Amino acid sequence: ALEPNNAHVIAGVVDIAHRVGNTEMAIRHLQHALELIPGDRTLRRYLAVDLGNIRKYDDALALFEPLINEEPGDHLARIARVQMLQERGTMQEALPDTTALLALQPDDKVYQYYHQLAQGQVPPHVPVELTTRMFDDMAKVYDKHMVRNLSYRLPKQVADQLLEIFPTRRFNLLDLGCGTGLVGVYLGPIEGAIIGVDLSQPMLEQAAKHNIYTKFYQTNVLDALSETPAAHYEAITCTDVLIYVGDLTPVIPNALRILKPGGTFIFSCEAAAEDEADLVLRSPSNRYAHKASAVERLCREAGFDEVVVEALPALRMEGGQPLPGFLVTAHKPLNA
């Protein structure tokens, strides 16, 4: 109010608006800033992204087009337009951008991922770079958001199931994608080690506050599985994680390998319908859904002798509606 034309003040207001999620406020001040500094590329890009975030796609595209035409090598503008087109549900229109991005950086896994999507393909995995930042930002509010707002009860269900399998609490557990440690919280202390694995350091910091876990490793699920010695754990859990991993071909056999004979692997998936493909990448959530029958088949082919698939009408709420999924409990033979 005191300095309406001070660019530094406006920049601060825009930053605050973004931090609190008030996109409309950010847009108003970005538009005003562009009246003061016409043609500023950074302001125009921020405005285009924000317009896309409130689904004013035509207005956003009208800003992106000249930005990229003026500077074809502007990878920030191109990747922002790609992500907006994915959100819009017209990913095929992003092919010129993903092609240009790969020409700039052929080895970039994020660009490769979006290029596959633009070609109508289903990438086997979401690059860790896309998920790590999201969970870093969510760490401090994750428990409240998931448990209170989205009715996320799966960690308690899994913990209760582990205690039924191991009533003496004597077992070693590998909690893949442990996040803020909800499985450990509901499980409580055991007579064994609980090892937490997660991509996000802020998530692990939240999990450490519970003083339940023995040790943490900051790495992704696939690397954790491939680098763990054989016959090392009595139990492995992986709740609400494989939706970001995708292809389970390297997951399930490795889980069998690192379980001790008689061990148990408990994991969840979002459900794809039986008339869909075995692996489906949902848009715009950017999460994978798996077909239950295909996952059960993978478990049995890997060598699990008992595989129980429990349909879950609601993994959690999403958009006010229950999100269907399933929970798999796979048992390794005693003689394996």
Side-chain angles (χ1 to χ4, degrees):
L2 293 173
E3 298 191 59
N5 296 326
N6 185 322
H8 293 291
V9 171
I10 295 172
V13 173
V14 169
D15 181 57
I16 291 168
H18 283 147
R19 287 173 184 269
V20 300
N22 192 334
T23 306
E24 288 81 2
M25 179 181 178
I27 287 172
R28 289 198 308 272
H29 288 282
L30 284 166
Q31 289 171 334
H32 179 50
L34 279 168
E35 293 173 1
L36 301 174
I37 317 172
D40 184 277
R41 292 187 59 82
T42 300
L43 294 174
R44 290 156 65 197
R45 186 174 67 246
Y46 278 137
L47 180 57
V49 170
D50 282 348
L51 288 168
N53 287 338
I54 62 169
R55 300 184 179 183
K56 291 189 175 181
Y57 298 123
D58 291 343
D59 292 340
L61 288 171
L63 285 170
F64 275 125
E65 189 69 21
L67 273 173
I68 293 168
N69 288 342
E70 292 162 12
E71 193 172 320
D74 185 348
H75 65 282
L76 293 176
R78 283 194 183 273
I79 194 63
R81 183 164 68 175
V82 167
Q83 291 168 334
M84 190 207 70
L85 289 170
Q86 183 193 25
E87 176 74 22
R88 185 195 194 198
T90 55
M91 192 61 189
Q92 70 279 1
E93 295 179 17
L95 188 57
D97 284 328
T98 59
T99 302
L101 288 167
L102 280 177
L104 294 169
Q105 298 183 39
D107 298 327
D108 189 289
K109 295 187 183 302
V110 172
Y111 295 167
Q112 292 170 2
Y113 169 79
Y114 283 123
H115 191 58
Q116 287 180 286
L117 289 179
Q119 295 178 95
Q121 301 171 7
V122 178
H125 308 292
V126 175
V128 297
E129 295 86 349
L130 288 179
T131 54
T132 303
R133 182 175 178 181
M134 175 178 66
F135 287 111
D136 285 352
D137 293 342
M138 288 181 62
K140 291 184 179 180
V141 299
Y142 182 84
D143 290 358
K144 179 180 178 181
H145 177 66
M146 292 293 287
V147 177
R148 295 186 187 178
N149 298 343
L150 302 184
S151 301
Y152 182 52
R153 304 288 183 261
L154 193 58
K156 184 179 188 307
Q157 181 178 345
V158 169
D160 290 344
Q161 189 170 340
L162 284 171
L163 292 177
E164 289 179 9
I165 299 169
F166 304 99
T168 64
R169 293 181 173 268
R170 294 177 181 173
F171 65 101
N172 295 305
L173 170 66
L174 175 63
D175 188 9
L176 293 170
C178 66
T180 58
L182 288 174
V183 169
V185 169
Y186 290 115
L187 186 61
I190 63 173
E191 294 187 38
I194 305 179
I195 306 301
V197 170
D198 205 274
L199 280 170
S200 169
Q201 183 62 32
M203 284 283 199
L204 293 176
E205 290 169 1
Q206 294 297 314
K209 294 179 180 179
H210 302 305
N211 295 316
I212 296 292
Y213 287 78
T214 309
K215 186 181 290 186
F216 296 102
Y217 293 97
Q218 185 186 359
T219 187
N220 65 74
V221 167
L222 296 179
D223 288 346
L225 284 166
S226 64
E227 294 171 10
T228 300
H232 210 64
Y233 294 95
E234 283 82 10
I236 302 171
T237 53
C238 192
T239 57
D240 215 34
V241 174
L242 299 177
I243 55 176
Y244 299 106
V245 173
D247 181 16
L248 302 186
T249 304
V251 173
I252 292 173
N254 256 324
L256 180 83
R257 179 185 62 82
I258 66 178
L259 281 171
K260 292 181 179 180
T264 303
F265 181 28
I266 305 176
F267 62 95
S268 67
C269 297
E270 288 187 14
E274 285 299 310
D275 60 355
E276 291 185 282
D278 292 352
L279 181 66
V280 180
L281 185 61
R282 300 294 191 206
S283 180
S285 70
N286 225 30
R287 298 191 306 258
Y288 291 97
H290 297 81
K291 189 158 68 179
S293 60
V295 173
E296 182 178 358
R297 184 180 68 251
L298 282 173
C299 289
R300 296 192 183 280
E301 289 174 350
F304 287 99
D305 63 344
E306 296 178 22
V307 183
V308 177
V309 180
E310 178 186 356
L312 300 174
L315 284 172
R316 62 184 174 280
M317 301 300 289
E318 183 167 282
Q321 299 296 319
L323 180 69
F326 56 90
L327 185 67
V328 179
T329 304
H331 180 266
K332 182 174 181 175
L334 285 169
N335 59 358

